[in-house]
Amino acid sequence: MEQYEPEPLSPVQLAAMRRSLRNGRASLARRSLLRASAGGALAVGGLGALSACGIPAAGKTQGGVSADDRSAKEKTINFSNWTEYMDVDESEKHHPTLDAFTKRTGITVKYTEDINDNAEFFGKIKPQLAAGQDTGRDLIVLTDWLAGRLINLGWVQKLDPANLPHAYTNLSQQFRNPDWDPGRAYSYPWQGISTVIAYNKKALDGVEVKSVSDMLDNPKLKGRIGFLTEMRDSVGMTLLDMGKDPSNFTDDDYDAAIARLQKAVDKGQIRRFTGNDYTSDITSGNFAACIAWAGDVVQLKADSPDVDFIIPDSGYITSTDNMLIPNKARHKTNAERLMDYYYEPEPAAELAAYINYVCPVDGVKPYLEKLDKDAANNPLIIPDQAMAAKSHAFRLLSSKEETAYEEKFAKLTGA
């Protein structure tokens, strides 16, 4: 694998990450906005960690560097994940699926919810990885763009397919071949995150919304439309509406999408760009329709009869949070066994029933039906074949593209 030292993040990239910290997906617990408190507080010093993302590498390591794998002798795993991204029992002290894994294998999982934001967590682990040191973690969960960054840096280990038979067999087709990890050599999805159109039936008052064009062009919706402060989601959905492929677009395509959104801003069609706070606007009717994240919509629908969603014919944007094994992890085989365990349909169903994100495991629906029929029949959790076919990923950006694109998007949103 090609090795390189990480390029310092530009001021524009740092600003984009700060927006994510303030009000993007990162600002809230994964389970639900409605259960989060005060915007999902970050650890003190989170923004300082962003600046640390650009520190010079302390040393170079080769890709897939392992320690002496102690899995056979030490029946343990150190697992770092996002907050409220795991099933819990009624006492909220135990994780049933993890307990079942330990009972079956004898492997104890030290489970830590210490990931609040991708960039902040990167700041924590980067000095150790750059120096070729153990992070103290055997398994971590990161969103696709950062997962790709660590893979390109050579800071995560290549997976052993022999330890991942269920994962290899049951991974949903739509997640099998991301451009940042072709063939899933270094990662497997923990959960998928879909971007859709949410709407308030009462606020629409008979106005039809089936596409991004309907949102941007219908004068009856002027000042009642919301888009997201996350560039990949808002621009990606706009590119799809324009007939462009978010996984294969040009600078001109991007500029055309920005111009389309700018026109809507200039005429007052878009009320504002938001993070997760769109949930209050869509439930109150301030937004008649908005670009939204499926994990929130599942919860909003449960609490408000007026809120629903549509998948445009042009498609929708999907990203993933992914399991990876850092370099020098001491329990690689144990970590791979846990990864594979969550690709068995039964534990995958238990996890899906609790967290309500897109389950990346084929064959899970019959098991989920026994736990929660509504969840099993919800395409935002178990996409049917037609919905999966409409899924599109935003392509991997170079550092130069990231800076240029975020700068243009920041001007559009007024950030």
Side-chain angles (χ1 to χ4, degrees):
M1 178 181 295
E2 180 183 358
Q3 291 292 304
Y4 59 91
E5 295 192 3
E7 300 175 15
L9 296 179
S10 70
V12 172
Q13 288 173 296
L14 290 174
M17 289 181 178
R18 287 189 175 96
R19 289 200 303 275
S20 180
L21 281 170
R22 287 196 304 268
N23 58 11
R25 276 204 316 262
S27 70
L28 294 165
R30 292 296 170 119
R31 174 66 172 139
S32 166
L33 169 78
L34 305 178
R35 292 181 56 190
S37 61
L42 291 171
V44 175
L47 291 181
L50 292 175
S51 298
C53 289
I55 63 174
K60 288 189 177 181
T61 62
Q62 297 300 314
V65 176
S66 62
D68 177 22
D69 191 348
R70 304 181 186 183
S71 294
K73 297 180 180 179
E74 299 178 3
K75 296 295 185 179
T76 187
I77 302 168
N78 294 309
F79 183 6
S80 285
N81 203 348
W82 296 75
T83 56
E84 301 205 37
Y85 218 11
M86 180 66 76
D87 57 306
V88 296
D89 65 5
E90 291 184 0
S91 72
E92 298 193 358
K93 295 180 180 179
H94 300 283
H95 303 290
T97 57
L98 288 178
D99 291 345
F101 174 80
T102 297
K103 184 177 180 180
R104 181 202 295 184
T105 64
I107 299 170
T108 300
V109 182
K110 182 181 179 183
Y111 184 72
T112 308
E113 295 181 333
D114 61 344
I115 304 178
N116 292 299
D117 171 72
N118 286 288
E120 178 195 14
F121 187 71
F122 186 36
K124 287 182 182 179
I125 63 175
K126 178 180 175 181
Q128 295 159 306
L129 290 172
Q133 298 171 352
D134 177 22
T135 65
R137 299 169 175 89
D138 301 303
L139 192 62
I140 58 178
V141 176
L142 299 174
T143 305
D144 44 21
W145 67 267
L146 184 54
R149 185 177 177 90
L150 263 64
I151 291 169
N152 286 335
L153 286 166
W155 288 352
V156 295
Q157 298 188 52
K158 193 169 186 178
L159 302 173
D160 184 350
N163 294 328
L164 294 156
H166 296 98
Y168 180 81
T169 300
N170 295 333
L171 176 60
S172 297
Q173 187 62 41
Q174 73 180 100
F175 300 120
R176 282 188 175 268
N177 201 39
D179 60 357
W180 49 269
D181 186 16
R184 291 288 181 180
Y186 293 87
S187 69
Y188 269 92
W190 177 250
Q191 297 290 294
I193 304 166
S194 297
T195 304
V196 300
I197 295 176
Y199 63 88
N200 184 305
K201 302 172 190 176
K202 186 176 181 180
L204 283 177
D205 193 24
V207 177
E208 188 174 70
V209 172
K210 291 186 175 181
S211 67
V212 170
S213 287
D214 290 337
M215 296 171 66
L216 295 178
D217 297 336
N218 192 329
K220 293 181 180 179
L221 299 177
K222 181 177 180 180
R224 298 193 293 139
I225 294 299
F227 274 70
L228 291 167
T229 54
E230 297 289 340
M231 179 268 288
R232 286 168 175 80
D233 295 303
S234 287
V235 175
M237 292 291 282
T238 304
L239 284 167
L240 285 169
D241 187 71
M242 297 169 66
K244 302 297 182 180
D245 182 357
S247 68
N248 184 26
F249 63 89
T250 66
D251 288 347
D252 288 343
D253 294 333
Y254 183 88
D255 288 345
I258 290 291
R260 177 129 171 73
L261 290 168
Q262 186 66 60
K263 181 179 179 182
V265 169
D266 292 343
K267 67 181 182 181
Q269 189 77 5
I270 296 176
R271 185 184 184 97
R272 66 190 185 104
F273 290 83
T274 73
N276 280 92
D277 48 327
Y278 68 78
T279 53
S280 60
D281 281 313
I282 197 68
T283 53
S284 68
N286 287 335
F287 287 161
C290 65
I291 303 299
W293 291 306
D296 289 334
V297 176
V298 171
Q299 296 297 314
L300 293 173
K301 277 174 57 66
D303 289 347
S304 174
D306 292 328
V307 175
D308 211 333
F309 75 98
I310 63 104
I311 302 296
D313 288 339
S314 59
Y316 64 101
I317 295 293
T318 296
S319 57
T320 50
D321 286 330
N322 309 275
M323 296 179 282
L324 306 107
I325 299 175
N327 279 358
K328 295 290 186 175
R330 299 185 180 188
H331 309 102
K332 179 175 184 285
T333 299
N334 289 346
E336 289 170 335
R337 291 183 68 183
L338 183 61
M339 292 171 71
D340 193 62
Y341 168 74
Y342 280 106
Y343 275 81
E344 295 179 27
E346 191 167 358
E350 291 183 54
L351 184 65
Y354 182 78
I355 62 178
N356 294 161
Y357 277 78
V358 179
C359 180
V361 182
D362 277 345
V364 77
K365 186 172 182 178
Y367 297 87
L368 186 55
E369 284 178 338
K370 298 176 183 178
L371 302 172
D372 188 334
K373 288 186 177 180
D374 289 340
N377 293 304
N378 189 333
L380 297 181
I381 299 173
I382 307 293
D384 56 26
Q385 191 171 9
M387 181 169 173
K390 293 182 178 181
S391 171
H392 298 267
F394 200 95
R395 70 171 172 84
L396 187 66
L397 300 179
S398 68
S399 181
K400 182 178 178 181
E401 287 176 325
E402 183 86 34
T403 297
Y405 291 175
E406 285 288 4
E407 183 174 31
K408 292 173 182 179
F409 189 69
K411 289 180 180 178
L412 168 73
T413 62

